Amino acid sequence: MDKSDSAVVRPSEALGRDQRRFGSDFSTFATGYPVLSAGGLARMVAQQTGYECVGIRLLSQDDYPYFSHYGFPAEFIHKENTLRPEACAASAPAVCLCGLVIQGRCGTDCPNLTPDGIFCCDDLHGFDPEAMRGLSLYRGECPKQGFRSVVLIPLRREGATIGLLQLADRRPGLAHQANPDFYRSLGDNIGDTLHPLTAGEIAVTRA
């Protein structure tokens, strides 16, 4: 499928769609999961939201590599795939926003953070890393790649963070075209779909 096929939906229209329809779409995906590729999930989210790029990180051992991605350059996925705990420590050479959001280490006073721990930024080019705890050494690969609108949604189940949904676009001003309830519902639907794949991982992290 040509990437341009997913660009026919404008974000302002897609993000205003009825959430129940979106949930129904994911129920259909979950039913057909065994015959669908992992990449199909990220592509579906891109089509439904109108975002240029979508990444879904999923818990695997002590890491959150990309389980599904769409639209991101191959070199970006290769470089940013791992989020091992030591790479997210304050003393690490560089810190990624995804890792901080997954670990809940952004700080409650961050203006880009919702009460549910969802990171929403309309323009990373104007983002101040000092506004977030632990970002004195900011990796900043997303703005380097030209991404401006970014939303990071933790996927949580059974009291554990099983993954992260990453929406990114080179156009500014998209993150706040939807309210936090939409993003929370989106994360819940994806978390419900993928939770069976992480049950064993959650048990290991709790052992």
Side-chain angles (χ1 to χ4, degrees):
M1 174 179 174
D2 192 308
K3 180 184 166 184
S4 62
D5 293 342
S6 68
V8 295
V9 180
R10 293 197 301 269
S12 58
E13 294 176 350
L15 294 176
R17 286 179 173 173
D18 182 75
Q19 294 180 21
R20 288 175 296 181
R21 176 182 173 184
F22 199 81
S24 175
D25 288 341
F26 267 95
S27 296
T28 301
F29 174 87
T31 302
Y33 178 77
V35 297
L36 289 175
S37 66
L41 179 54
R43 183 168 60 249
M44 178 181 177
V45 176
Q47 291 172 333
Q48 293 286 354
T49 63
Y51 268 79
E52 176 186 0
C53 301
V54 172
I56 300 172
R57 296 181 179 273
L58 201 61
L59 176 63
S60 177
Q61 298 180 6
D62 63 345
D63 201 359
Y64 289 86
Y66 283 108
F67 167 78
S68 178
H69 55 85
Y70 177 77
F72 287 108
E75 63 272 17
F76 177 90
I77 296 298
H78 176 75
K79 186 175 182 179
E80 297 295 298
N81 192 48
T82 184
L83 287 178
R84 295 193 178 279
E86 60 268 21
C88 298
S91 59
V95 179
C96 178
L97 280 172
C98 289
L100 290 177
V101 171
I102 286 173
Q103 293 183 336
R105 295 179 53 224
C106 299
T108 56
D109 56 345
C110 174
N112 298 98
L113 209 64
T114 73
D116 296 310
I118 299 170
F119 177 85
C120 299
C121 184
D122 280 323
D123 195 348
L124 279 182
H125 288 185
F127 171 66
D128 179 12
E130 296 300 324
M132 295 183 71
R133 183 187 308 158
L135 274 186
S136 57
L137 296 169
Y138 177 37
R139 188 185 303 175
E141 192 61 30
C142 281
K144 290 177 185 176
Q145 292 282 342
F147 296 118
R148 302 183 70 175
S149 295
V150 170
V151 179
L152 304 174
I153 307 170
L155 307 178
R156 301 186 181 101
R157 281 297 171 273
E158 298 182 5
T161 302
I162 65 168
L164 181 89
L165 172 63
Q166 178 183 11
L167 308 177
D169 204 292
R170 290 179 174 85
R171 295 166 293 179
L174 305 186
H176 288 91
Q177 288 188 9
N179 61 45
D181 289 339
F182 175 86
Y183 293 131
R184 184 173 58 250
S185 176
L186 178 57
D188 287 345
N189 281 317
I190 295 176
D192 285 341
T193 299
L194 299 181
H195 174 242
L197 302 180
T198 63
E201 300 289 350
I202 292 173
V204 169
T205 59
R206 289 178 172 176

